[in-house]
Amino acid sequence: MKTFDWSQLDEAQKREALARPAHRAAADVTGVVREIMQDVALRGGAAVNDWCIKLDGAPPRRIAINNETLNAARDQLAPADTRAIRMAAENIRVFHQATKPEDSALIETTAGVRSKLAWRAIGAAGIYVPGGTAPLFSSLLMQAIPAQVAGVKTRVVVTPPSKDGSVHPAMIIAAAEAGLDAIWAIGGAQAIAALTFGVELEDGIIPRCDKLFGPGNAYVAEAKKQANALPAGPAVDMPAGPSEVMVVADSAADPVIAAADLLSQAEHDKDAQVILVATTKTALTAILEEVEEQVSTLPREEIARASLSEARAILARDPNDVIEVINMYGPEHLALQTEDAGDLVDRIEAAGAIFVGGWAAETLGDYAAGPSHVLPTDGGARTLGGLTTASFMTSMSVQYVNEEGARALGPIAARLARLEGLEGHARAADYRSEA
């Protein structure tokens, strides 16, 4: 970990200390993704098939969620595993049903003029679920269930296959809990391209999706960015690239817990970034020592150490400096392990999810607390929130105007229209108010 004393840094050095890894936006990533997107746009399903064989090691495959696949998946998991998935799914569904936007009441701004906001589900959602070195079936639950609660009619889930072309049995169970009828074993930028353009494959058709969702590696994040930039391209949820966590700890924090939270993200992949913000030198040293102690015992030690090479340890003694670090970085996950954790929350302006106090493990949020763990990365938290039911919906204003309202508001609207030089607008108001 690179160590910094915040009070000794100038503005440029502060920005450098909090910089994301440069290879997230490396030119080779951009170029490879562009090649894949252009190829799929030109050749459709054939291109997806070729890129899957080259990069996934297996052709694209549609896996139906039926009694046969479910029974096979259950046979490979302990009953406690399937119960845990079911409990997590239920918590996610409860939270998102409770926070689903509802049509607003009619608001009368002028006598005879009433308006409201109406919410509707989007038509087709393309959902990317990371697989690769770890089958993140939790991400399937965290996306497909909110989409189901929102009322999305077409949910297309893609996830990278294992080397033999299969997917983890927990992914099958999670898909069933989310009410899906199938998932596609396709990974990387080629999966995003398939969702973007819509393709016909040997096992069926992947429809063109209206909006793309899901976290992923640098290639997936870049593919979503390029898809969104296309003329009439799909919308995207947020920049959801490699994982990030910032742990804020004071002398009262448990170094073992703080280190474990840092490593829980470092083990995701080599591009993940972890940042420790300590209010005392003693706490900083103790936590770093514990990180080194724990990382050597992780099954994914090699990945975690690669991530730690881009990690930061920042000494911020002043509470105002702590807040500055948090808001300047805008972490995806923010763990507050300080005695004044509750007081800090009101001052935080940029974070994807906040975990308050030593008991609030980020891992609980990752799997089973209820809110979605799909959160903005790369500083996106400064302007964007995490995935919610509303992410799968659109709002539209609905206006009801009677004769009284038209006569009252028409002259005002007409006058303003003429002030802008728009005579046609003005006449449309005049004809109603003067009728």
Side-chain angles (χ1 to χ4, degrees):
M1 272 189 169
K2 299 176 183 177
T3 304
F4 303 87
D5 185 333
W6 195 254
S7 65
Q8 302 302 309
L9 305 180
D10 61 26
E11 288 302 311
Q13 290 170 329
K14 288 178 179 179
R15 289 192 294 272
E16 177 61 27
L18 296 176
R20 265 75 178 182
H23 55 270
R24 288 188 175 192
D28 61 331
V29 172
T30 302
V32 169
V33 170
R34 183 177 295 111
E35 181 183 1
I36 292 172
M37 296 293 286
Q38 291 176 345
D39 193 20
V40 174
L42 182 65
R43 298 196 295 125
V48 173
N49 186 79
D50 291 348
W51 284 105
C52 283
I53 292 172
K54 180 178 180 179
L55 301 177
D56 290 339
R61 178 183 169 211
R62 182 183 184 274
I63 301 172
I65 308 302
N66 53 33
N67 288 335
E68 180 181 353
T69 55
L70 272 173
N71 289 336
R74 290 192 185 103
D75 288 344
Q76 298 177 67
L77 296 176
D81 292 335
T82 57
R83 285 196 299 270
I85 293 172
R86 184 172 297 113
M87 290 176 65
E90 181 60 22
N91 284 352
I92 295 165
R93 185 170 283 106
V94 166
F95 180 85
H96 286 88
Q97 285 175 338
T99 55
K100 178 184 176 181
E102 301 291 344
D103 288 8
S104 72
L106 282 168
I107 300 168
E108 188 171 68
T109 54
T110 299
V113 179
R114 299 178 302 156
S115 304
K116 71 173 184 177
L117 280 183
W119 289 85
R120 300 290 184 269
I122 63 174
I127 298 172
Y128 189 91
V129 179
T133 58
L136 301 186
F137 56 87
S138 57
S139 281
L140 189 155
L141 296 174
M142 294 288 185
Q143 299 179 83
I145 290 176
Q148 182 186 39
V149 170
V152 177
K153 292 181 179 179
T154 301
R155 296 175 295 158
V156 186
V157 172
V158 295
T159 189
S162 60
K163 291 182 179 180
D164 63 1
S166 66
V167 299
H168 195 280
M171 202 76 78
I172 304 294
I173 301 298
E177 290 293 337
L180 295 167
D181 60 6
I183 56 177
W184 284 89
I186 308 175
Q190 62 272 25
I192 299 300
L195 298 171
T196 298
F197 300 109
V199 294
E200 184 173 351
L201 298 166
E202 184 175 341
D203 282 358
I205 295 174
I206 292 181
R208 181 186 182 281
C209 293
D210 300 307
K211 190 172 181 180
L212 306 180
F213 298 84
N217 61 19
Y219 292 90
V220 170
E222 177 63 24
K224 288 172 64 180
K225 179 180 177 182
Q226 291 189 22
N228 182 238
L230 293 169
V236 296
D237 53 352
M238 67 190 80
S243 189
E244 305 167 349
V245 68
M246 177 178 284
V247 174
V248 179
D250 60 13
S251 57
D254 185 336
V256 173
I257 288 176
D261 284 356
L262 291 165
L263 291 172
S264 71
Q265 296 305 299
E267 73 172 359
H268 257 302
D269 65 62
K270 61 182 178 60
D271 291 336
Q273 188 174 45
V274 299
I275 295 181
L276 168 65
V277 180
T279 62
T280 68
K281 182 69 173 177
T282 300
L284 186 146
T285 300
I287 294 169
L288 291 186
E289 289 176 352
E290 187 62 34
V291 166
E292 184 57 35
E293 181 76 18
Q294 292 185 31
V295 71
S296 62
T297 66
L298 287 177
R300 294 166 67 87
E301 177 185 359
E302 184 178 351
I303 292 172
R305 287 194 182 279
S307 170
L308 289 174
S309 69
E310 292 285 357
R312 306 284 191 270
I314 297 172
L315 180 62
R317 300 178 183 86
D318 189 297
N320 292 325
D321 287 345
V322 171
I323 295 299
E324 182 182 27
V325 173
I326 293 170
N327 289 334
M328 184 178 290
Y329 186 73
E332 177 191 19
H333 305 99
L334 174 62
L336 301 177
Q337 297 175 16
T338 62
E339 290 184 307
D340 64 344
D343 296 332
L344 290 177
V345 172
D346 289 341
R347 301 181 63 192
I348 295 167
E349 300 170 354
I354 304 174
F355 304 88
V356 184
W359 293 104
E362 186 271 335
T363 300
L364 301 183
D366 259 357
Y367 291 102
S372 178
H373 71 199
V374 179
L375 305 165
T377 63
D378 296 311
R382 288 193 291 269
T383 57
L384 296 167
L387 187 144
T388 66
T389 310
S391 304
F392 295 92
M393 305 177 76
T394 61
S395 63
M396 52 190 176
S397 65
V398 182
Q399 302 175 26
Y400 300 88
V401 182
N402 61 20
E403 182 178 349
E404 179 188 14
R407 289 184 182 280
L409 209 55
I412 295 172
R415 190 171 193 87
L416 294 175
R418 291 190 172 99
L419 194 60
E420 290 187 339
L422 299 174
E423 181 62 23
H425 281 64
R427 291 178 184 178
D430 286 342
Y431 291 150
R432 288 173 168 82
S433 60
E434 296 172 357

